Amino acid sequence: MSEADAATSVNVAERLGFKDGDLIQERGYDDDVDFDLRDDIEDFTGSELLDEDDHDVVDAVIFWWRDGDGDLVDALMDSLTTLKEGGVVWVLTPKSGRPNYVSPADIQDAAPTSGLHLTTSAGVSKDWSATRLVAKKNK
C-alpha cells in the first residue's frame, strides 16, 4: 500500500468518527470483510477490534451485514448490548452490484424497530458502504 493510500484509509477511520483509544466491537466477521479497513481502524484507534463474544462496553460497533445474514432488527438489537450511551453502530454492507448487496431501504426500515435511527452513509472501501446508526434520544 502506498503512503497516499494509507493516509486515505486512515482518513476513513477518522471520517467514521473513531478516535485514538476507542474500543470498537466487530460483528458479522467473515472472509469477505475488507481486511485493509479493519487494519486501518485498529491502527487509528490503537486497539484491536473486539469480537462478538467480548462483553466490554464499547464506543462503537462495526457490523458487516450481507443479504441473507438473517433478521437485521434482531442483529442490531444484539449490537446494542455492549454499546455505551452515545455510541455509534456502523452497518457495513456490500456496495450495489456486489454479491449479497443490501438495499439501504432495508437498513432504514430495520433501524427504528431496533431503537436506532440512520444519520449518514458513506463509501468506506471499494466493495463496502457504511451506514451510521445512533440510538434515538429520549425526550
Side-chain angles (χ1 to χ4, degrees), residues 7-130:
T8 301
S9 297
V10 170
N11 288 339
V12 170
E14 187 173 18
R15 260 194 5 235
L16 294 175
F18 301 142
K19 301 179 299 302
D20 183 36
D22 278 354
L23 286 179
I24 313 294
Q25 184 177 49
E26 177 182 44
R27 298 173 88 63
Y29 175 89
D30 207 339
D31 60 3
D32 64 344
V33 302
D34 187 307
F35 292 99
D36 289 336
L37 177 59
R38 292 180 79 255
D39 291 344
D40 293 334
I41 292 170
E42 289 179 338
D43 290 346
F44 190 77
T45 61
S47 302
E48 288 188 18
L49 295 173
L50 303 176
D51 66 26
E52 295 176 25
D53 295 327
D54 285 305
H55 297 291
D56 294 345
V57 175
V58 297
D59 300 290
V61 173
I62 61 168
F63 208 125
W64 305 95
W65 189 259
R66 304 144 197 92
D67 184 43
D69 276 354
D71 186 307
L72 183 55
V73 172
D74 287 345
L76 289 172
M77 291 177 75
D78 288 347
S79 73
L80 299 177
T81 58
T82 58
L83 187 65
K84 79 174 191 179
E85 187 173 331
V88 174
V89 176
W90 282 100
V91 179
L92 300 154
T93 57
K95 287 185 174 179
S96 179
R98 305 298 196 283
N100 301 312
Y101 168 73
V102 175
S103 167
D106 292 346
I107 300 169
Q108 195 167 16
D109 290 346
T113 307
S114 61
L116 298 166
H117 71 272
L118 188 147
T119 62
T120 191
S121 296
V124 292
S125 73
K126 180 177 67 106
D127 295 319
W128 293 87
S129 294

